Amino acid sequence: MKIKKFLKLALVAAFAATVIGCDDDVAQPVANNNADITLIPPAAVYTMTNDPGANAIREYRRAATGELAFVKDYPTGASGSGDNLNGASGSLIHVHGTNRFFNVNAGSNSVTFMSLGGDGALTAMSTANSGGTRPISVTTFGTTVYVLNAGDPINNIPANISGLELVGTQLVPIAGSTQALSVANPNPAQIAFHPAGTVLVVTERDSNRITTFVMNGNVAGPPKAQVSSAITPSGFDYTALGTMITAGATNGAAGSASVSSHIV
């Protein structure tokens, strides 16, 4: 899948989304109409503790003063890594149009599906192996879930992507879904489906590439890497028309961050 480059702009400031507020996450598309469930509009802010002892999703509500007030921690049933997850985006997502939350557990190499209740509480429904080492980002399309594993360059463990299918309330590994990235350890930043659900996209910071995987049903095809027009491509999102907007960290140089657009 070839990515067409269109536009590059200078940024006054850049940021990395390591936590989410709900509303919704990164333009997560929906392939089913969820007619059999009652949708619950999220009314709180949720973030992930990434606690190495017991990872949890933390709920905040707006107080009468306008400040965010802590409500409760909801255990994922797995362990975090206790760090910033390489500054990745998409470690915790809410899937638009559903009651589903997904998060990575980097300390236990797993991903958790959590369900949103009418009172705003989250319940862990299923936790499954991420198919690799150090998961840092997760994405969904319909009932298909893909995880980006950063790997471990110190121990020569490569990065990869791997898929799971949500069957009822259980996450089940997808046979043949694990794929390598463009190089063994490119310091990846984020994985996300294109809004059409036909392509998976991964940004790779150290290789300065955007790698795509064409979907065959729920199985990702082999990687195809393209040089990014944004230096050090990091977090990204899609417009309503499906254009990919990518932040470029420019190796962390002050005042040099950029943003570029691509058609996938």
Side-chain angles (χ1 to χ4, degrees):
M1 174 63 63
K2 186 175 182 180
I3 294 180
K4 296 180 180 179
K5 305 171 185 177
F6 274 77
L7 162 70
K8 187 174 181 181
L9 299 172
L11 288 178
V12 175
F15 66 91
T18 55
V19 298
I20 66 167
C22 279
D23 271 2
D24 302 318
D25 72 305
V26 211
Q28 293 294 324
V30 180
N32 59 330
N33 59 18
N34 298 287
D36 57 336
I37 64 172
T38 301
L39 295 181
I40 302 164
V45 173
Y46 299 88
T47 184
M48 189 173 71
T49 65
N50 198 29
D51 190 319
N55 195 15
I57 308 305
R58 181 163 292 175
E59 178 187 1
Y60 293 90
R61 297 263 177 157
R62 188 167 61 183
T65 58
E67 299 175 341
L68 288 177
F70 168 75
V71 177
K72 190 175 181 179
D73 280 348
Y74 303 102
T76 68
S79 58
S81 57
D83 56 20
N84 72 348
L85 293 172
N86 298 23
S89 297
S91 57
L92 167 65
I93 62 172
H94 167 251
V95 185
H96 175 67
T98 77
N99 299 332
R100 301 171 190 157
F101 281 71
F102 295 89
N103 71 274
V104 299
N105 304 295
S108 58
N109 298 328
S110 63
V111 59
T112 297
F113 159 49
M114 303 189 84
S115 181
L116 176 67
D119 58 354
L122 295 174
T123 302
M125 306 298 289
S126 177
T127 297
N129 190 280
S130 68
T133 298
R134 191 171 166 78
I136 58 172
S137 182
V138 61
T139 186
T140 73
F141 184 82
T143 56
T144 301
V145 180
Y146 268 80
V147 187
L148 172 61
N149 296 291
D152 181 355
I154 295 177
N155 292 302
N156 296 316
I157 301 174
N160 67 10
I161 67 166
S162 194
L164 304 110
E165 189 70 19
L166 185 62
V167 181
T169 61
Q170 299 302 301
L171 289 167
V172 179
I174 299 171
S177 65
T178 302
Q179 293 285 356
L181 301 186
S182 71
V183 295
N185 296 105
N187 189 19
Q190 184 182 347
I191 186 171
F193 273 102
H194 181 271
T198 54
V199 180
L200 272 170
V201 181
V202 172
T203 44
E204 302 180 1
R205 286 169 289 198
D206 288 358
S207 67
N208 202 51
R209 293 171 180 168
I210 297 174
T211 298
T212 58
F213 307 81
V214 176
M215 299 298 295
N216 180 11
N218 64 358
V219 179
K224 182 172 182 179
Q226 291 117 120
V227 175
S228 171
S229 58
I231 300 174
T232 321
S234 301
F236 63 95
D237 201 350
Y238 298 98
T239 68
L241 297 178
T243 300
M244 178 181 173
I245 308 296
T246 308
T250 319
N251 299 315
S256 300
S258 65
V259 62
S260 61
S261 64
H262 305 82
I263 289 181
V264 180

